[in-house]
Amino acid sequence: MEKSCTLLIHFDKGSPAIANEIKEALEGNDVPAKIDAMKKAIMLLLNGETLPQLFITIVRYVLPSEDHTVQKLLLLYLEIIEKTDAKGKVLPEMILICQNLRNNLIHPNEYIRGVTLRFLCRLNETEIIEPLIPSVLQNLEHRHLFIRRNAILAVMSIYKLPQGDQLLVDAPEMIEKALSTEQDPSAKRNAFLMLFTCAQDRAINYLLTHVDRVSEWGELLQMVVLELIRKVCRTNRGEKSKYIKIIISLLNAQSTAVIYECAGTLVSLSSAPTAIKAAANTYCQLLLSQSDNNVKLIVLDRLNELKSSHRDIMVDLIMDVLRALSSPNLDIQRKTLDIVLELITPRNINEVVLLLKKEVVKTQTGELEKNGEYRQMLIQAIHSCAIKFPEVASTVVHLLMDFLGDSNVASAIDVVVFVREIIETNPKLRVSIITRLLDTFYQIRAARVCSCALWIIGEYCLSLSEVESAITTIKQCLGDLPFYSVSEEGEATDASNKTPQANSVTVSSRRPAVLADGTYATQSAVSETAFSPLTIVQGSLASGNLRSLLLSGDFFLGAVVSCTLTKLILRLEEVQPSKVEVNKATTQALLIMVSILQLGQSHVLPHPIDNDSCERIVLCMRLLCNTGDEIRKIWLQSCRQSFVKMLSEKQLRETEELKAKAQVSHAQPDDLIDFYHLKSRKGMSQLELEDEVQDDLKSATGEFVKDADDVNKLNRILQLTGFSDPVYAEAYVTVHHYDIVLDVTVINRTKETLQNLCLELATMGDLKLVERPQNYTLAPESSKQIKANIKVSSTETGVIFGNIVYEASNVLERTVVVLNDIHIDIMDYISPAVCTDTAFRTMWAEFEWENKVAINTAIQDEKEFLNHIIKSINMKCLTAQSALDGECGFLAANLYAKSAFGEDALVNLSVEKQADGKLSGYIRIRSKTQGIALSLGDKITLKQKGGK
């Protein structure tokens, strides 16, 4: 059986020391050699060696040594050697060390006394400790504080032994007396801890007697006081009114550790608004005063918990929380914004947005390397604020549009998506947004941002001047046509700009071609690789951003340009009375589309135009040549209506998520209701009165009721043995983040007493047993509750297996009952979560572990199969319901969840209905760790078949 030990030392097993060499070194007079030999002996003992022949040598040659290092090593050696025989009796040779320990306890050197007293704290053998007790008690009054500290701890450890209260009957009285006269903060803390552990009533009495001086005590003692208060109030909630004043007084302590613990204790004991506000203010002060990022993250977690249960109070502190944005750490900034976004109200929205705008402006300085990511978070936060409170959109939208050309593409995408949503939800801002967008369009460098901006231009340019400005802007950004030219003299011709400007470099790619008459020519594609937005020729761009992107081979953008021009021409027909102007604009648009097609079908670029983009551009050309009313309606109205529907569904989905998060609680019909105004207020402080009101509200709304937990508990009981086994066992498994608790009920079904009954468990996977198994004696037909704690280190399906071993009086050998395996389900660790489509795609590209599961199910409906998978693996479907509507025989959906350890789980389901009615396809799982990918794959394989 594994033994517990307080000593952990690295040991190189490659070069084990020989016992004879150690013995020779110990017998010599060389002190450094003795020290080295003792270290080798200790390391061998810690690694399973017994070395019985060394004990007498150590008693003869090491015990008399006066060297402090040798004496310390001697105590470590005595701590780890076996001091009892197989029957639990102390070995006779241990008597030899008792006299040495007694001498050490009265040694004139304070260090020797102190370390010996500390050693006694780790001894469990009563026979060795009993003769030393008088010497230990003498040290309680020693003049040196190091000795007094350890003497108090020694008394506490002796008193906690199985027969300790008989060895030291009056120990609490002596310690209480020492506590009243002690001046050293550390010794005082040890004395109070002894009373708290062994004589709680005396500790409470001492605390209440000196209640006015608690704020003057040392940090260590104050921490123990808070621990005592928590323990007492957890046992008896009615007593908390006595201790609230102590906690409030400790909020002004000098130690930040005490202040933090104090705030946590206050929140756990009281729900009064005054108490919660005091705790929240304390957390905010710690958030600003502490420089350690880990401390800031922990404090933000506490504030997040307060936000969930006491949102009204946290709303008033929103600006204090926002001051944490001054930290350069992205995790702190992200957590701060997450908390703040859920505390926004009409009263504070203007202040919050003003501060966020200032932070956005600060990110333009470029001092920090992660300014781009921080700016992206700020833009998303402002976007969320503007959606919740549309009236603030006008104050931020123009500032954010300056970042459409941001070098951080993700940030620029967030801005353009924000602009797209605001221009629809705030019609008053349409004209100013369109004007600003057309002015800044040339700055955009990312293809995805250009595509979204072009869609906005095509949908929301309504007046004649806007439409004409939009067409002109697009033409300028495309540059001169065609995109490449053919010269019979064999020289490249720059079609976009005859006179290159400063700060621009023209690059030509040449390819020989044979003309119809047999002469040679050169095809030349021209682009500017180093473009400056300030380089302007006669009021137009030297080489536009759209041109650069098209010459890089992005023909999807070419299709978007064609669609935008088509919409603008169709709208121009409605608002322009002159047919000549309309025909001129149509001709120019057709020329642009033809040029894009020519570029895509030429050999200038390494990759030709894709079929989808080609078909789209050709469709736009046909539409401009022959327009019908139905087609016009589809292009000018239906597209925008679909966007409005998408926004309404997004808002509905967010509303449903908020409702799901809200705490639903119900009171029982016969619950007692106390009327606050009819209660006696005599002798109660304002804080206690508020606390009473909050408790009554919680009782009335059923916040204390947790019936669902009791129902779930019955479903989580696992049978470990058969009904015919002499010992019956069943377990209730509780999974809480990093801990698994097995509550095992063992029943003796025989008519005999079972002795040395032991529950032996082992684990497979990333699970680790925390405690050593203990032996129990079980009377006939009696039961025993045994708890086993297991630590979890990752999200992975683990297995717990083992057996029950016991001895019966009529059987010579030990009996073993093998237990059923307990499978720890991955579903206990993961929970549905939400993320944006952009974040999902980014993670999908980054995560390296993928598990591909082929669909094999009896279910014949795609949506039914999707719902079955969602229910089976406890994930959230990110794909909108509107995207899943319709009967086309295909279905693709993205699912997302987060584990208790903060890990992300991504699932993509692609399913197709075959001609015979069966479903086929794949489910792909991606994660950063192998455990989630494999465990989710196994779960899906097990559950996917479904069936009635």
Side-chain angles (χ1 to χ4, degrees), residues 124-144:
N124 297 320
E125 289 74 26
T126 308
E127 293 87 342
I128 300 175
I129 290 175
E130 189 170 4
L132 305 175
I133 288 177
S135 303
V136 173
L137 296 178
Q138 286 177 11
N139 286 307
L140 286 173
E141 299 176 357
H142 194 275
R143 60 181 177 78
H144 202 283

Side-chain angles (χ1 to χ4, degrees), residues 1-4 758-759 769-776:
M1 190 181 295
E2 185 183 351
K3 298 185 179 69
S4 62
C758 180
L759 175 65
L769 287 164
V770 177
E771 299 166 341
R772 292 185 298 120
Q774 295 183 4
N775 292 334
Y776 302 95

Side-chain angles (χ1 to χ4, degrees), residues 21 41 44 225 270 273 411 522 573 592 646 667 683-684 756 784 825 865 890:
E21 294 177 3
L44 285 170
V225 165
S270 174
S411 177
T522 301
E573 291 177 1
I592 290 170
M646 185 191 85
M684 295 179 73
N756 294 328
K784 180 73 179 176
D825 197 349
F865 179 68
F890 296 91

Side-chain angles (χ1 to χ4, degrees), residues 450-503:
C450 273
S451 300
C452 193
L454 285 168
W455 185 89
I456 295 171
I457 290 169
E459 289 293 335
Y460 294 97
C461 287
L462 304 180
S463 67
L464 177 60
S465 60
E466 289 170 353
V467 173
E468 289 178 342
S469 298
I471 294 173
T472 304
T473 301
I474 293 173
K475 284 168 60 181
Q476 288 176 348
C477 291
L478 286 170
D480 295 334
L481 300 177
F483 293 104
Y484 71 98
S485 61
V486 178
S487 172
E488 293 191 18
E489 289 79 11
E491 296 180 359
T493 302
D494 185 346
S496 67
N497 188 8
K498 304 298 181 185
T499 308
Q501 301 297 309
N503 299 328

Side-chain angles (χ1 to χ4, degrees), residues 504-701:
S504 65
V505 179
T506 304
V507 178
S508 303
S509 63
R510 303 183 179 190
R511 182 186 298 273
V514 181
L515 299 179
D517 59 355
T519 59
Y520 286 92
T522 301
Q523 290 180 330
S524 173
V526 184
S527 66
E528 287 192 359
T529 56
F531 167 75
S532 170
L534 301 176
T535 306
I536 300 176
V537 179
Q538 296 178 355
S540 64
L541 295 174
S543 178
N545 51 349
L546 292 179
R547 185 184 191 88
S548 301
L549 291 168
L550 283 172
L551 289 174
S552 68
D554 191 343
F555 289 105
F556 173 77
L557 181 63
V560 175
V561 170
S562 302
C563 291
T564 303
L565 286 171
T566 303
K567 289 179 184 177
L568 292 172
I569 298 299
L570 292 176
R571 193 159 280 120
L572 187 65
E573 291 177 1
E574 295 180 349
V575 297
Q576 174 60 269
S578 172
K579 294 293 182 184
V580 175
E581 293 295 328
V582 173
N583 291 338
K584 182 179 177 182
T586 306
T587 305
Q588 291 173 341
L590 287 169
L591 179 60
I592 290 170
M593 296 178 200
V594 169
S595 299
I596 295 171
L597 285 175
Q598 280 184 337
L599 177 66
Q601 292 170 355
S602 70
H603 299 288
V604 176
L605 299 180
H607 301 290
I609 187 170
D610 58 282
N611 291 333
D612 290 340
S613 299
C614 183
E615 288 178 11
R616 189 73 170 163
I617 295 171
V618 170
L619 175 65
C620 293
M621 293 169 64
R622 287 176 178 169
L623 181 61
L624 290 179
C625 295
N626 185 15
T627 307
D629 292 336
E630 286 299 321
I631 298 296
R632 183 187 299 274
K633 183 179 178 182
I634 291 172
W635 278 72
L636 296 183
Q637 296 178 20
S638 300
C639 191
R640 189 167 167 184
Q641 289 169 0
S642 299
F643 178 59
V644 172
K645 186 179 178 183
M646 185 191 85
L647 289 181
S648 61
E649 285 183 353
K650 178 185 173 186
Q651 190 173 5
L652 181 64
R653 194 161 63 245
E654 290 174 353
T655 307
E656 289 174 354
E657 287 169 7
L658 288 174
K659 286 181 181 178
K661 285 182 182 177
Q663 185 177 3
V664 180
S665 51
H666 304 284
Q668 296 299 317
D670 55 348
D671 281 352
L672 181 68
I673 298 177
D674 290 329
F675 289 92
Y676 162 66
H677 293 286
L678 301 180
K679 283 186 176 180
S680 171
R681 306 186 189 183
K682 190 175 181 181
M684 295 179 73
S685 65
Q686 182 62 29
L687 186 63
E688 292 173 67
L689 290 172
E690 289 179 11
D691 217 14
E692 291 286 340
V693 175
Q694 294 299 318
D695 285 350
D696 293 345
L697 285 173
K698 285 184 178 181
S699 298
T701 56

Side-chain angles (χ1 to χ4, degrees), residues 755-824:
Q755 297 178 339
N756 294 328
L757 184 140
C758 180
L759 175 65
E760 296 178 347
L761 296 175
T763 59
M764 188 170 65
D766 285 337
L767 307 175
K768 183 173 176 57
L769 287 164
V770 177
E771 299 166 341
R772 292 185 298 120
Q774 295 183 4
N775 292 334
Y776 302 95
T777 300
L778 212 56
E781 299 182 351
S782 65
S783 63
K784 180 73 179 176
Q785 297 287 123
I786 303 174
K787 285 197 175 183
N789 292 311
I790 296 167
K791 284 286 180 186
V792 188
S793 57
S794 73
T795 310
E796 186 176 346
T797 300
V799 181
I800 304 170
F801 54 94
N803 48 55
I804 293 176
V805 184
Y806 62 89
E807 296 175 356
S809 56
N810 61 346
V811 181
L812 297 176
E813 296 181 355
R814 301 190 79 186
T815 306
V816 178
V817 178
V818 179
L819 305 178
N820 288 335
D821 294 346
I822 301 173
H823 292 265
I824 302 301

